[in-house]
Structures are given as structure tokens and as C-alpha cells.
Amino acid sequence: MTGAILAQLLSQTAEGGADLIVLRAIAEEAGELGASRALTRLGLDDPAAAKDMAELRELLTAWREAKKSMWQAVFGWTLKMVPVILMAGFALKFGLHEFAK
């Protein structure tokens, strides 16, 4: 889109005033033109862009799931190590390491 329709609509409003239908058409054309420019600037104006965005969303979802699993594993190992460290500390304090020999 080059904005020709938007320019024509704006000239109509300048000539004879603006009614609600023309104003809505201006807003719609301006929105479409702006969206088209934004997609072009982002490099998402080709037919493969929808597939690329779907793949990026899948990748982002997988990354979030992996990150969540990693934090769950770290938390789980931390909870398991606390009693082990406490028991080792008690064993050293009460001299139970001598008993093991």
C-alpha cells in the first residue's frame, strides 16, 4: 500500500467536510498503512512470515518450559541436599564419623 487511498479520503474531507463513514475509512486505511509499514520494517512482509512467527512462538514456548524445568530441578536438589548437609553436620558434631571407622 502506498497511501493513495488515504490521500484520496483526506482530500474528500477537505473538500466537503467529513462524515462518519469517511472518518472511519480514514482511520481504517491509516491503520492498515501503519501496520504494513511496521511489518515491512520488521522484515515480516513476505508469505513465509506467518510460518516464521509460528516457529518462533514454538521456540519461545520450549525455552520457557526448559527454564521452568531447570528451576524446578534446582529447587528439588536444594531440598534434597539440606537434610543431607544437616545429617553430615550432626555426624561431625557428635563424633559419629569415628563410629564409622
Side-chain angles (χ1 to χ4, degrees):
M1 248 189 253
T2 61
I5 295 173
L6 183 58
Q8 182 182 3
L9 288 168
L10 288 172
S11 70
Q12 282 180 358
T13 60
E15 292 171 3
D19 60 352
L20 185 58
I21 295 173
V22 175
L23 289 175
R24 284 187 178 178
I26 290 172
E28 186 176 330
E29 287 297 320
E32 287 182 16
L33 183 61
S36 177
R37 285 181 183 171
L39 289 173
T40 299
R41 287 181 185 157
L42 292 172
L44 298 172
D45 58 340
D46 61 340
K51 182 183 174 195
D52 293 343
M53 290 303 294
E55 289 176 357
L56 284 172
R57 286 183 182 184
E58 288 178 21
L59 184 62
L60 184 59
T61 300
W63 167 253
R64 287 177 178 157
E65 289 174 3
K67 192 168 62 169
K68 181 180 175 183
S69 296
M70 186 263 315
W71 283 115
Q72 288 175 343
V74 167
F75 184 71
W77 276 101
T78 302
L79 285 180
K80 291 175 186 173
M81 291 306 293
V82 167
V84 170
I85 292 170
L86 286 173
M87 289 184 349
F90 285 135
L92 288 174
K93 183 174 182 176
F94 295 118
L96 295 176
H97 62 287
E98 304 268 335
F99 181 71
K101 290 182 183 179

